[in-house]
Amino acid sequence: MNQIYNFSAGPAMLPRAVLEKMHSELLEYSNARASVMEISHRGVDFMALAQKCERDLRELMKIPDNYKVLFLQGGASAQFSMVPINLLRGKTKANYVHTGHWSKKAITEGRRYCEVNICTNSTDNKYTDIEDFSNWKIDSDGAYLHYTPNETIAGLEFDYIPEVEMPLVADMSSNILSREIEVAKFGVIYAGAQKNIGISGLTVVIVRQDLIGAPLAQQPILFDYATQANNDSMYNTPATYPWYVASRMFEWLKAKGGIGAMEKINQIKAQKLYKMIDESDFYSNPVTKKYRSRMNVPFLLADEKLNNLFLEKAAAQNLITLKGHRSVGGMRASIYNAMPEAGVDSLVNFMQAFEKENA
Ligand SMILES: *Cc1c(COP(=O)(O)O)cnc(C)c1O
């Protein structure tokens, strides 16, 4: 099979080694005499897998002992509800940072539960910049501050962690495990798995223990972090196969040298791509340089009429799924952990050749 580089924003590319491992284990998992998809989540084989999976993630992210790690369903979008349900804890207001499409969705859901204070809003700059932190309007009565460290669609990523006097909540769906972070700075970190953790169907939630246990009344029992934490994320049947894939991804990441090693490669990959874009008049990226995403790189062709030809020719070179989100247009290259440096090299070479032929 040819090496294909898939730049999909999510569900996204998996490492070839992980796909091969999944393939080799598909019919019979460990000593279970059945596929991992066919066994009970409460049996010894799956329980061992789940425990090792959590241990590996704790080791990778250096998660302190006073944090619970949950393996849930409902996607990152379910956390847009679970966060206010669990974190309001008697308060009626919360702070939200609006820097893109996903923050906006979190805000829309947050408003169903509380009064939302927008600390800063990047709508006017079309999600290409983040207002200086010193100018944010943070309501000190807010129960928490929610933000999106990496906006997947516009390619806008924080280069710092906001320091606030209340629990900090981060939707890390598209940049978890891509760089080292200090978990202790956060109240809640959550991420849908289909970008940097594995496949869709699983959401990882890392939550500080003292924030668990006082949810809003009359909400679904599954949406209470305590239900999930007290039952090791197995109050009901969990998403066993996505959980298994996450375990194989964490093992792969450890073998690659962990998050620090991955961060270095991610930096190099992003630098190569942005450098090429900046040096050309044919391609452009509108995001303020220090907030450019290392995971999602949107770019425009100077002549939009060439978009379809670009996509066709790229696909013929085994570079697929480069079409940009409809709200931004142009192209988007998502270069999560699974994208090897060689994939970015191949894209850069293709882009240079395409420019020569069509400029
Ligand atoms: C993809 C994405 C989501 C949506 O995740 P679902 O798992 O589909 O709910 C939310 N936030 C961010 C930052 C994303 O990239």
Side-chain angles (χ1 to χ4, degrees):
M1 189 184 142
N2 282 331
Q3 175 64 62
I4 292 168
Y5 295 115
N6 174 8
F7 295 90
S8 171
M13 185 175 175
L14 294 170
R16 179 69 164 256
V18 172
L19 284 169
E20 277 165 3
K21 180 88 179 160
M22 289 157 63
H23 185 226
S24 75
E25 290 181 324
L26 185 71
L27 299 183
E28 277 196 54
Y29 175 72
S30 184
N31 297 319
R33 309 188 68 198
S35 170
V36 70
M37 288 180 266
E38 302 171 302
I39 59 175
S40 167
H41 52 293
R42 303 193 195 281
V44 285
D45 293 293
F46 197 85
M47 289 295 274
L49 182 157
Q51 282 158 14
K52 165 114 186 338
C53 183
E54 179 176 337
R55 271 204 312 278
D56 284 345
L57 181 62
R58 283 185 177 276
E59 188 184 320
L60 281 164
M61 292 184 71
K62 302 185 184 77
I63 301 173
D65 289 343
N66 63 325
Y67 284 74
K68 289 280 185 188
V69 180
L70 310 176
F71 294 86
L72 309 181
Q73 303 189 53
S77 302
Q79 295 310 307
F80 296 165
S81 331
M82 284 180 84
V83 164
I85 286 172
N86 288 276
L87 261 60
L88 280 169
R89 300 188 308 143
K91 298 208 173 185
T92 57
K93 291 188 211 171
N95 291 292
Y96 280 77
V97 173
H98 184 169
T99 50
H101 174 94
W102 293 111
S103 348
K104 190 175 174 192
K105 286 215 155 171
I107 289 164
T108 301
E109 187 66 10
R111 285 202 171 112
R112 292 160 51 91
Y113 296 96
C114 65
E115 191 183 316
V116 166
N117 173 58
I118 306 291
C119 308
T120 180
N121 192 335
S122 298
T123 310
D124 286 349
N125 59 55
K126 299 201 171 74
Y127 303 146
T128 60
D129 200 2
I130 300 167
E131 185 182 10
D132 198 77
F133 180 64
S134 59
N135 295 328
W136 290 14
K137 291 172 190 67
I138 299 172
D139 187 334
S140 56
D141 286 338
Y144 57 87
L145 185 141
H146 179 282
Y147 84 118
T148 312
N150 184 61
E151 281 287 358
T152 320
I153 291 177
L156 183 71
E157 184 173 18
F158 278 80
D159 69 341
Y160 66 94
I161 297 170
E163 300 272 351
V164 290
E165 306 281 315
M166 58 190 70
L168 181 65
V169 180
D171 173 2
M172 280 192 202
S173 293
S174 52
N175 71 348
I176 193 166
L177 304 173
S178 72
R179 68 197 314 169
E180 292 196 281
I181 54 143
E182 199 186 332
V183 173
K185 292 192 166 172
F186 298 86
V188 177
I189 292 170
Y190 64 89
Q194 65 272 23
K195 281 124 189 185
N196 233 354
I197 294 175
I199 60 173
S200 63
L202 177 76
T203 315
V204 171
V205 180
I206 302 164
V207 51
R208 215 175 66 211
Q209 250 162 26
D210 62 283
L211 300 172
I212 297 178
L216 290 182
Q218 290 179 321
Q219 299 299 325
I221 195 162
L222 283 174
F223 275 28
D224 179 352
Y225 286 145
T227 308
Q228 301 291 357
N230 295 339
N231 291 282
D232 298 324
S233 309
M234 293 189 189
Y235 179 79
N236 67 330
T237 315
T240 51
Y241 197 70
W243 200 335
Y244 153 81
V245 176
S247 79
R248 295 303 177 249
M249 284 288 285
F250 298 157
E251 284 171 0
W252 172 81
L253 198 48
K254 280 173 68 175
K256 283 265 163 187
I259 298 180
M262 198 53 73
E263 177 171 1
K264 290 201 184 88
I265 300 171
N266 287 333
Q267 240 155 15
I268 293 169
K269 277 153 51 186
Q271 266 163 14
K272 279 185 175 175
L273 194 45
Y274 284 117
K275 182 166 182 283
M276 193 260 124
I277 291 168
D278 287 342
E279 284 173 0
S280 126
D281 294 326
F282 191 80
Y283 303 105
S284 65
N285 168 286
V287 177
T288 301
K289 282 195 177 141
K290 69 173 168 168
Y291 297 131
R292 281 176 168 178
S293 170
R294 298 150 315 119
M295 293 286 103
N296 312 95
V297 182
F299 58 92
L300 299 174
L301 275 60
D303 179 0
E304 273 183 37
K305 290 195 288 294
L306 290 170
N307 282 357
N308 286 339
L309 185 67
F310 180 95
L311 290 166
E312 241 171 67
K313 294 236 162 155
Q317 305 276 321
N318 293 331
L319 305 169
I320 67 164
T321 337
L322 283 159
K323 193 175 166 63
H325 190 270
R326 60 188 182 281
S327 65
V328 178
M331 309 297 151
R332 173 174 46 168
S334 293
I335 49 175
Y336 302 116
N337 288 352
M339 176 62 64
E341 195 176 338
V344 173
D345 291 339
S346 181
L347 175 62
V348 166
N349 289 338
F350 165 75
M351 286 169 69
Q352 283 169 334
F354 187 85
E355 176 175 353
K356 265 202 196 113
E357 278 165 32
N358 295 284

